[in-house]
Amino acid sequence: VYKRQTQQAATQEVYDLVGNNYYNPNWGWQSGKRRNARVRNYHEPIAVLNYTYDINDRSQLNVATSVRFGENGYSALTWYAGPDPRPDYYRYLPSYSNGTTYGAWLDEAWRANTDNIRHINWGQLYDINRNQEENATYGPGHRSINMIEERHTDQLDWNFYTQFSHTFRNNSRINGGVNLRRNRTEYYSEVKDLLGGDYWVDIDKFAERDMGGLNPIPYQNDMEYYEKYGHARAAKKGDKYGYDYYGNVLNARAWAQYEMSFGKLGVNLGGEIGHASLWRHGLWKKGLFLDDSQGDSKKLNYLTYKLKANFSYKFSAAHSIEANIMYMQDSPEFQSAFVSPRTRNAVTPGLSAEKVFGVDGSYNFRLGELRARVSGYYTKFMNQNKVLSYYDDVEATFSNFAMSGIDKRHFGVEVAASIPLDAGFYLNGALSWGQYTYDSNPNYVQIQDNSGEIKNEGKVYWKNFRVESTPQKAMNIGLSYRGPKNIYASLDLNYYSNMYISMSPLYRTDAVLTPGMTKEDVAELRSQEKFNSAYVVNASIGKNWFIKRQYTLGFSLEMKNLLNDQDIKTGGYEQVRLLKNKDTSYQTYQPFDSKYFYMFGSTYYLNLYFRF
């Protein structure tokens, strides 16, 4: 069982008001104790069975099967027809009321944390729920309009793997096998804590608001329950609510690989062919989509394959080169295959198999303990798919943004070396330079979640923008030590740069352009933020002891960010939500502030181990 409280990104305005880049809006004080609304909680046991059969001294058969099962959930606040309980909701921040007396008061209150304004007010949420009027339709008690839900992705995953290998008399080798995988993941939300209330009314709040309250059918999450009892379910703690469906994946693959050598030349050729099938099975009939929510969707079938080759050549014991080439086609991920799997079986427009082409080469040098390597690589990702769901402030409804035809291009070079000095010391260094860019302008369709109506479609202008959240230039230089009696230590300086924010596709469509916008307005809206470069110093030390040549006792201590730099952005994203009207002489839009994650300051990790 694994349980972990989670961090959430925040805007720079909030970090500055609090004076700390580790502010977490997920928690507040309850009865004198910290309580976090977002907790990751999972228990996924894995059972593995393996059998190896030595057919003869040159042939071997391996057969393995595994099953993974259990629960995987994370909690979150949700609410109905009441104020947003999140402390950093944009309407509660000084910038929303900028230039007013209230805005000035908010600025002071946030900086002083007046009445714990920075944190979730758990007591107030309990009071709101307990003060709700009783409704005889749902039985005795008070209706919760604030609660904590737990969103589940519970997997039942079965894998079967078999491999046959044979070594020929010329020392060439062939491997081959069959892989089967059947995955059924149940997606649902569960009532975790009613926060002082007695039940949660299981209706679709966005559909109720969009469709009006006169006809209750469209906002029923479970029509079978409604038809039986004449009203929505009064969900209690532990009950499922909102949505419940299975994501099904079936994969079958056969592969083979042949290794051979011709003197100094080594060749490795491999191939794989398979079939993948994806489908959704809705367990509930939704009022919005009576004929397209319950039961099986159509099955999405894809031919999958992979071709790869590796070539190596040894000029001498000190010098060698190596090259790899690969081309593959794979099925899309389940969650990108359906527009809104929470509500219906509709397939993502433009969905297609994804393809990858990659090639890399390297030169290796080794002379005694002196080692060096120079590598170059190029990878092209084609026809990727992605679906984003968000609240559209312009249309005032929940929306799905489905993209297809996403291409990416990665290329770069890497250099690494390890140089022996004296008395067990080594000087180590590495340099990585890459350029990871979007290589197409994907197609998109924006679909209203509650009706399936297409609101906008066209192109996302992403071509030549940078791929997000990974440093595209990095450098390491360090000193390591391996001494007698199994002592080892290291000290490293790491440098990172060319790291970019995750972009909102909506900002880079024609749908957000309005008459009167200048080229400068468009360029500002579509510009991609580049994070500042940064460096950190890390260190480690460890030792182990051998006991009677059978057991090993040891420890390792890792120390990261020794300089305690707390201003290093490790990631972030532009909010998809569009857009507040901007007060100018003509109509335009202003995006919501981006949200960021920061690297922790100095951290320490001690590992003690005993091997037997």
Side-chain angles (χ1 to χ4, degrees), residues 216-233:
I217 300 298
Y219 52 85
Q220 299 303 317
N221 284 324
D222 185 353
M223 276 299 300
E224 291 182 343
Y225 187 96
Y226 176 81
E227 290 166 351
K228 184 176 181 179
Y229 296 101
H231 59 79
R233 177 187 293 106

Side-chain angles (χ1 to χ4, degrees), residues 428-491:
N428 307 302
L431 174 66
S432 174
W433 175 89
Q435 184 168 299
Y436 312 152
T437 58
Y438 287 95
D439 203 38
S440 68
N441 292 322
N443 299 309
Y444 84 92
V445 179
Q446 184 185 356
I447 302 171
Q448 185 170 321
D449 193 58
N450 290 329
S451 66
E453 177 186 356
I454 294 177
K455 304 301 295 185
N456 287 300
E457 56 185 319
K459 292 284 188 181
V460 178
Y461 299 108
W462 268 5
K463 188 175 176 64
N464 295 326
F465 282 97
R466 295 298 184 101
V467 175
E468 63 278 358
S469 299
T470 181
Q472 300 184 22
K473 183 187 295 183
M475 183 180 69
N476 164 270
I477 186 167
L479 190 66
S480 63
Y481 170 76
R482 284 194 171 273
K485 299 183 180 180
N486 302 310
I487 297 175
Y488 52 92
S490 67
L491 181 68

Side-chain angles (χ1 to χ4, degrees), residues 256-257 268-272 306-310 325-327:
Q257 180 175 292
N268 187 327
L269 303 176
E272 176 185 286
K306 180 188 290 186
L307 300 171
K308 62 179 181 178
N310 167 268
I325 187 169
M326 178 271 294
Y327 185 81

